[in-house]
Short mmCIF file of all heavy atoms in Angstrom, two decimals:
data_model
loop_
_atom_site.label_atom_id
_atom_site.label_comp_id
_atom_site.label_asym_id
_atom_site.label_seq_id
_atom_site.Cartn_x
_atom_site.Cartn_y
_atom_site.Cartn_z
N GLY A 29 3.19 9.14 -0.15
CA GLY A 29 3.08 9.68 1.17
C GLY A 29 4.41 10.08 1.80
O GLY A 29 4.50 11.14 2.46
N PHE A 30 5.46 9.44 1.41
CA PHE A 30 6.84 9.91 1.78
C PHE A 30 7.13 11.26 1.25
O PHE A 30 7.63 12.16 1.96
CB PHE A 30 7.85 8.85 1.39
CG PHE A 30 9.35 9.28 1.62
CD1 PHE A 30 9.88 9.17 2.89
CD2 PHE A 30 10.09 9.81 0.60
CE1 PHE A 30 11.12 9.64 3.11
CE2 PHE A 30 11.39 10.18 0.81
CZ PHE A 30 11.96 10.16 2.15
N ARG A 31 6.96 11.39 0.03
CA ARG A 31 7.19 12.64 -0.65
C ARG A 31 6.34 13.80 -0.05
O ARG A 31 6.84 14.92 0.20
CB ARG A 31 6.88 12.57 -2.15
CG ARG A 31 8.03 11.73 -2.90
CD ARG A 31 7.81 11.74 -4.38
NE ARG A 31 8.85 11.03 -4.98
CZ ARG A 31 8.70 10.10 -5.98
NH1 ARG A 31 7.60 9.98 -6.50
NH2 ARG A 31 9.77 9.48 -6.45
N GLU A 32 5.11 13.48 0.26
CA GLU A 32 4.19 14.53 0.85
C GLU A 32 4.72 14.87 2.25
O GLU A 32 4.72 16.06 2.60
CB GLU A 32 2.81 13.99 0.96
CG GLU A 32 1.83 15.11 1.41
CD GLU A 32 1.55 16.29 0.48
OE1 GLU A 32 1.80 16.12 -0.75
OE2 GLU A 32 1.10 17.36 1.00
N ALA A 33 5.23 13.90 3.01
CA ALA A 33 5.73 14.15 4.25
C ALA A 33 7.01 15.12 4.28
O ALA A 33 7.18 16.00 5.02
CB ALA A 33 6.19 12.85 5.02
N GLU A 34 7.77 14.86 3.27
CA GLU A 34 9.00 15.67 3.06
C GLU A 34 8.66 17.11 2.71
O GLU A 34 9.20 18.09 3.18
CB GLU A 34 9.94 15.09 2.01
CG GLU A 34 10.65 13.81 2.31
CD GLU A 34 11.63 14.01 3.54
OE1 GLU A 34 12.20 15.13 3.64
OE2 GLU A 34 11.69 13.07 4.30
N ILE A 35 7.71 17.28 1.81
CA ILE A 35 7.17 18.60 1.38
C ILE A 35 6.58 19.39 2.67
O ILE A 35 6.95 20.53 2.86
CB ILE A 35 6.24 18.54 0.22
CG1 ILE A 35 6.88 18.10 -1.02
CG2 ILE A 35 5.44 19.92 0.12
CD1 ILE A 35 5.92 17.57 -2.13
N LEU A 36 5.76 18.66 3.38
CA LEU A 36 5.12 19.36 4.54
C LEU A 36 6.24 19.60 5.64
O LEU A 36 6.12 20.65 6.38
CB LEU A 36 4.01 18.50 4.99
CG LEU A 36 2.76 18.32 4.14
CD1 LEU A 36 1.87 17.27 4.54
CD2 LEU A 36 2.08 19.68 3.99
N TRP A 37 7.20 18.73 5.78
CA TRP A 37 8.22 18.93 6.79
C TRP A 37 8.95 20.28 6.31
O TRP A 37 9.17 21.10 7.26
CB TRP A 37 9.21 17.77 6.68
CG TRP A 37 10.42 17.94 7.65
CD1 TRP A 37 11.38 18.86 7.61
CD2 TRP A 37 10.61 17.04 8.72
NE1 TRP A 37 12.33 18.55 8.64
CE2 TRP A 37 11.79 17.51 9.35
CE3 TRP A 37 10.04 16.02 9.31
CZ2 TRP A 37 12.37 16.90 10.43
CZ3 TRP A 37 10.56 15.30 10.36
CH2 TRP A 37 11.77 15.77 10.95
N ASN A 38 9.31 20.43 5.12
CA ASN A 38 10.02 21.69 4.68
C ASN A 38 9.17 22.87 4.92
O ASN A 38 9.54 23.97 5.33
CB ASN A 38 10.55 21.52 3.28
CG ASN A 38 11.67 20.55 3.24
OD1 ASN A 38 12.42 20.37 4.21
ND2 ASN A 38 12.00 20.08 2.11
N LYS A 39 7.87 22.82 4.51
CA LYS A 39 6.97 23.93 4.67
C LYS A 39 6.83 24.29 6.14
O LYS A 39 6.67 25.51 6.40
CB LYS A 39 5.62 23.62 4.03
CG LYS A 39 5.62 23.62 2.52
CD LYS A 39 4.21 23.35 1.97
CE LYS A 39 4.25 23.48 0.49
NZ LYS A 39 2.92 23.28 -0.11
N SER A 40 6.75 23.32 6.98
CA SER A 40 6.72 23.62 8.36
C SER A 40 7.87 24.31 8.92
O SER A 40 7.84 25.23 9.68
CB SER A 40 6.45 22.31 9.13
OG SER A 40 5.21 21.72 8.91
N GLU A 41 9.07 23.88 8.48
CA GLU A 41 10.35 24.59 8.82
C GLU A 41 10.33 25.96 8.29
O GLU A 41 10.72 26.88 9.05
CB GLU A 41 11.56 23.81 8.31
CG GLU A 41 11.82 22.58 9.19
CD GLU A 41 13.19 22.00 8.82
OE1 GLU A 41 13.36 21.53 7.66
OE2 GLU A 41 14.01 21.95 9.67
N GLN A 42 9.90 26.20 7.06
CA GLN A 42 9.89 27.58 6.56
C GLN A 42 8.93 28.52 7.27
O GLN A 42 9.25 29.67 7.40
CB GLN A 42 9.56 27.38 5.12
CG GLN A 42 10.62 26.87 4.17
CD GLN A 42 10.13 26.53 2.80
OE1 GLN A 42 8.97 26.51 2.43
NE2 GLN A 42 11.17 26.35 1.92
N SER A 43 7.79 27.96 7.73
CA SER A 43 6.82 28.79 8.38
C SER A 43 6.89 28.87 9.95
O SER A 43 6.22 29.53 10.62
CB SER A 43 5.42 28.38 7.99
OG SER A 43 5.16 27.10 8.54
N TRP A 44 7.99 28.10 10.42
CA TRP A 44 8.23 28.02 11.87
C TRP A 44 7.04 27.50 12.71
O TRP A 44 6.88 27.88 13.91
CB TRP A 44 8.72 29.31 12.47
CG TRP A 44 10.03 29.74 11.97
CD1 TRP A 44 11.00 28.97 11.55
CD2 TRP A 44 10.60 31.08 11.92
NE1 TRP A 44 12.23 29.77 11.14
CE2 TRP A 44 11.84 30.99 11.44
CE3 TRP A 44 10.08 32.30 12.39
CZ2 TRP A 44 12.65 32.19 11.33
CZ3 TRP A 44 10.85 33.46 12.10
CH2 TRP A 44 12.16 33.36 11.72
N GLN A 45 6.21 26.71 12.02
CA GLN A 45 5.10 26.02 12.81
C GLN A 45 4.64 24.79 11.95
O GLN A 45 4.93 24.74 10.80
CB GLN A 45 3.89 27.08 12.92
CG GLN A 45 3.32 27.51 11.58
CD GLN A 45 2.16 28.53 11.82
OE1 GLN A 45 1.84 28.86 12.94
NE2 GLN A 45 1.73 29.14 10.76
N LEU A 46 3.92 23.88 12.64
CA LEU A 46 3.38 22.79 11.91
C LEU A 46 2.32 23.24 10.95
O LEU A 46 1.38 23.91 11.29
CB LEU A 46 2.86 21.76 12.89
CG LEU A 46 3.88 21.13 13.94
CD1 LEU A 46 3.08 20.23 14.81
CD2 LEU A 46 5.03 20.48 13.15
N VAL A 47 2.47 22.86 9.69
CA VAL A 47 1.41 23.19 8.64
C VAL A 47 0.47 21.96 8.47
O VAL A 47 1.00 20.84 8.58
CB VAL A 47 1.96 23.68 7.41
CG1 VAL A 47 2.83 24.98 7.62
CG2 VAL A 47 2.87 22.57 6.70
N ALA A 48 -0.78 22.17 8.24
CA ALA A 48 -1.70 21.15 7.94
C ALA A 48 -1.41 20.52 6.58
O ALA A 48 -1.10 21.21 5.62
CB ALA A 48 -3.11 21.62 8.05
N PRO A 49 -1.54 19.23 6.43
CA PRO A 49 -1.75 18.20 7.42
C PRO A 49 -0.48 17.46 7.79
O PRO A 49 -0.52 16.16 7.76
CB PRO A 49 -2.72 17.32 6.63
CG PRO A 49 -2.16 17.40 5.19
CD PRO A 49 -1.67 18.76 5.04
N VAL A 50 0.58 18.10 8.14
CA VAL A 50 1.81 17.50 8.38
C VAL A 50 1.62 16.37 9.43
O VAL A 50 2.37 15.34 9.23
CB VAL A 50 2.93 18.50 8.83
CG1 VAL A 50 2.66 19.10 10.15
CG2 VAL A 50 4.34 17.87 8.76
N THR A 51 0.84 16.48 10.40
CA THR A 51 0.79 15.43 11.50
C THR A 51 0.11 14.13 10.98
O THR A 51 0.11 13.11 11.69
CB THR A 51 0.02 15.92 12.72
OG1 THR A 51 -1.25 16.49 12.31
CG2 THR A 51 0.88 17.05 13.35
N GLN A 52 -0.49 14.22 9.79
CA GLN A 52 -0.98 12.97 9.16
C GLN A 52 0.12 12.15 8.49
O GLN A 52 0.01 11.01 8.19
CB GLN A 52 -2.04 13.32 8.16
CG GLN A 52 -3.37 13.98 8.76
CD GLN A 52 -4.41 14.25 7.73
OE1 GLN A 52 -4.24 13.88 6.53
NE2 GLN A 52 -5.28 14.98 8.19
N TYR A 53 1.27 12.82 8.22
CA TYR A 53 2.26 12.22 7.45
C TYR A 53 3.58 12.05 8.36
O TYR A 53 4.40 11.03 8.15
CB TYR A 53 2.71 12.99 6.30
CG TYR A 53 1.68 12.98 5.17
CD1 TYR A 53 0.63 14.00 5.17
CD2 TYR A 53 1.63 11.98 4.20
CE1 TYR A 53 -0.35 13.96 4.25
CE2 TYR A 53 0.57 12.01 3.27
CZ TYR A 53 -0.36 12.96 3.29
OH TYR A 53 -1.34 12.97 2.33
N VAL A 54 3.80 12.94 9.24
CA VAL A 54 5.04 12.92 10.17
C VAL A 54 4.52 12.63 11.50
O VAL A 54 3.69 13.35 12.15
CB VAL A 54 5.80 14.26 10.10
CG1 VAL A 54 7.02 14.12 10.94
CG2 VAL A 54 6.21 14.67 8.65
N THR A 55 5.01 11.38 12.12
CA THR A 55 4.41 10.91 13.38
C THR A 55 5.54 10.50 14.24
O THR A 55 6.70 10.40 13.86
CB THR A 55 3.46 9.83 13.19
OG1 THR A 55 4.08 8.68 12.49
CG2 THR A 55 2.20 10.19 12.35
N ALA A 56 5.17 10.16 15.42
CA ALA A 56 6.13 9.51 16.50
C ALA A 56 7.35 10.34 16.65
O ALA A 56 7.35 11.51 16.82
CB ALA A 56 6.27 8.06 16.08
N GLY A 57 8.43 9.61 16.67
CA GLY A 57 9.78 10.29 16.88
C GLY A 57 10.12 11.36 15.76
O GLY A 57 10.74 12.31 16.10
N ALA A 58 9.71 11.08 14.55
CA ALA A 58 9.95 12.02 13.47
C ALA A 58 9.27 13.45 13.79
O ALA A 58 9.85 14.45 13.62
CB ALA A 58 9.52 11.51 12.17
N LEU A 59 8.08 13.28 14.30
CA LEU A 59 7.36 14.55 14.65
C LEU A 59 8.01 15.28 15.79
O LEU A 59 8.12 16.50 15.76
CB LEU A 59 5.90 14.26 15.05
CG LEU A 59 4.85 15.35 15.32
CD1 LEU A 59 4.94 16.30 14.15
CD2 LEU A 59 3.64 14.93 15.69
N SER A 60 8.57 14.56 16.76
CA SER A 60 9.33 15.18 17.86
C SER A 60 10.56 15.87 17.25
O SER A 60 10.88 17.01 17.70
CB SER A 60 9.78 14.18 18.87
OG SER A 60 8.71 13.67 19.54
N HIS A 61 11.23 15.34 16.28
CA HIS A 61 12.39 15.91 15.67
C HIS A 61 12.01 17.13 14.88
O HIS A 61 12.74 18.19 14.89
CB HIS A 61 13.12 14.87 14.75
CG HIS A 61 13.89 13.72 15.51
ND1 HIS A 61 14.79 13.96 16.41
CD2 HIS A 61 13.67 12.41 15.41
CE1 HIS A 61 15.22 12.86 16.90
NE2 HIS A 61 14.52 11.90 16.24
N LEU A 62 10.95 17.07 14.19
CA LEU A 62 10.45 18.22 13.43
C LEU A 62 10.13 19.38 14.36
O LEU A 62 10.56 20.53 14.11
CB LEU A 62 9.25 17.86 12.57
CG LEU A 62 8.53 19.01 11.89
CD1 LEU A 62 9.53 19.75 10.92
CD2 LEU A 62 7.34 18.58 11.11
N LYS A 63 9.50 19.16 15.46
CA LYS A 63 9.18 20.14 16.42
C LYS A 63 10.41 20.80 17.02
O LYS A 63 10.45 22.03 17.13
CB LYS A 63 8.28 19.61 17.53
CG LYS A 63 6.90 19.27 17.10
CD LYS A 63 6.06 18.73 18.29
CE LYS A 63 4.52 18.37 17.84
NZ LYS A 63 3.81 17.84 18.97
N GLU A 64 11.41 19.98 17.36
CA GLU A 64 12.66 20.53 17.79
C GLU A 64 13.36 21.34 16.77
O GLU A 64 13.96 22.43 17.14
CB GLU A 64 13.56 19.28 18.24
CG GLU A 64 13.11 18.53 19.48
CD GLU A 64 13.86 17.28 19.69
OE1 GLU A 64 14.97 17.09 19.06
OE2 GLU A 64 13.44 16.49 20.53
#
């Protein structure tokens, strides 16, 4: 799950938007940091 979160985090940064299913793996404060 941690590895999947890291992959989805990077894919979201690369595409400049949250990619599915990143919000299932990145939550709370970490999700706020990702959005920022």
Side-chain angles (χ1 to χ4, degrees):
F30 172 80
R31 288 182 177 141
E32 186 67 19
E34 289 296 325
I35 290 166
L36 292 168
W37 181 295
N38 287 340
K39 286 182 178 183
S40 293
E41 282 190 300
Q42 289 169 342
S43 66
W44 291 338
Q45 63 184 354
L46 297 177
V47 298
V50 70
T51 56
Q52 293 178 13
Y53 293 90
V54 181
T55 60
L59 183 58
S60 295
H61 290 301
L62 175 56
K63 288 177 180 178
E64 290 171 15

